[in-house]
Amino acid sequence: MNFLYAYRGWILGALAIVMLLLPGAPMTDRWLEEALPLSAAVFAVSVLLRIAARRTIGEHTRGFAHDADRLVTEGLYSKIRHPLYLSNTGVGYAFVVLHFGVDLLALPFVVALISFEVLLSKMEDRYLENRFGDEWRTWSAVTPAFLPRIILGKKMPAHLHPAASENPHPAETSGTLPVGKRRSRSFLESFRADASTWLWLVVGIALIMARKFVG
């Protein structure tokens, strides 16, 4: 069991507590015009990203240890390898901006958040490569970690393009994994599956806003 992965939620919680102990941006016109809209937009996109990822990945990534019975390569995971970590980063960034506003004091927390999520993604990549071998290497060769190729401005290598292979999705057709594509959850099913996450996010927003009113 990897300590950072097992206690990732506690580590992020500790970072949030440290953030709340520091004075935040007052509710000025600048905060209302810049920080609040930016925070709300990033938060909304990150939540939608998380729901989209949950539609495909199901109960993967929960618990205290890495565990996967198959390599998920369809849906959002055909575009990026770590949508959940990207979503976590976005939500964390939204919280930081909501508390500090667009200010240099937010920078250390943003850097710490991004560094932690990238580190977790690297650890997950190592686990998946050890678990699935060539299947993971083929998938990772054409699937960026966080930003789709259309954003990165990169083209898929010709020899790895689906049209160049009779079996473009080895992770879905190997003897180790189920044949065919699994049913995706509906939007509502995916939303309900993360009920505890939404509760903590609401609590986090309430604490940040309460901190503004009392401090």
Side-chain angles (χ1 to χ4, degrees), residues 60 69-74 128 132 135-136 139 171-172 177:
H60 282 34
D69 62 351
R70 72 183 185 107
L71 183 63
V72 179
T73 62
E74 67 269 18
L128 292 174
F132 297 105
E135 291 175 348
W136 179 88
W139 173 59
E172 297 179 15
L177 304 172

Side-chain angles (χ1 to χ4, degrees), residues 36-169:
L36 184 59
L38 175 60
S39 176
V42 174
F43 182 83
V45 171
S46 300
V47 166
L48 291 175
L49 183 65
R50 184 177 187 86
I51 294 173
R54 280 287 175 216
R55 293 191 65 183
T56 303
I57 200 171
E59 296 301 316
H60 282 34
T61 77
R62 297 188 187 276
F64 290 95
H66 285 115
D67 185 26
D69 62 351
R70 72 183 185 107
L71 183 63
V72 179
T73 62
E74 67 269 18
L76 192 56
Y77 287 83
S78 67
K79 307 298 182 184
I80 54 177
R81 299 200 307 273
H82 301 293
L84 285 175
Y85 289 135
L86 181 59
S87 171
N88 292 345
T89 303
V91 168
Y93 175 80
F95 279 8
V96 170
V97 171
L98 188 66
H99 183 59
F100 291 120
V102 184
D103 191 274
L104 282 177
L105 190 56
L107 186 59
F109 289 90
V110 172
V111 171
L113 175 66
I114 293 175
S115 299
F116 183 61
E117 295 295 340
V118 169
L119 178 60
L120 289 177
S121 74
K122 296 292 185 183
M123 291 164 47
E124 184 168 296
D125 278 342
R126 286 197 297 270
Y127 163 77
L128 292 174
E129 184 175 16
N130 290 333
R131 174 75 172 81
F132 297 105
D134 287 340
E135 291 175 348
W136 179 88
R137 285 186 281 272
T138 299
W139 173 59
S140 66
V142 298
T143 312
F146 296 105
L147 298 177
R149 288 184 175 275
I150 189 172
I151 295 178
L152 294 173
K154 295 181 179 179
K155 294 183 178 180
M156 184 182 296
H159 69 289
L160 291 175
H161 196 281
S165 171
E166 294 181 358
N167 182 20
H169 301 294

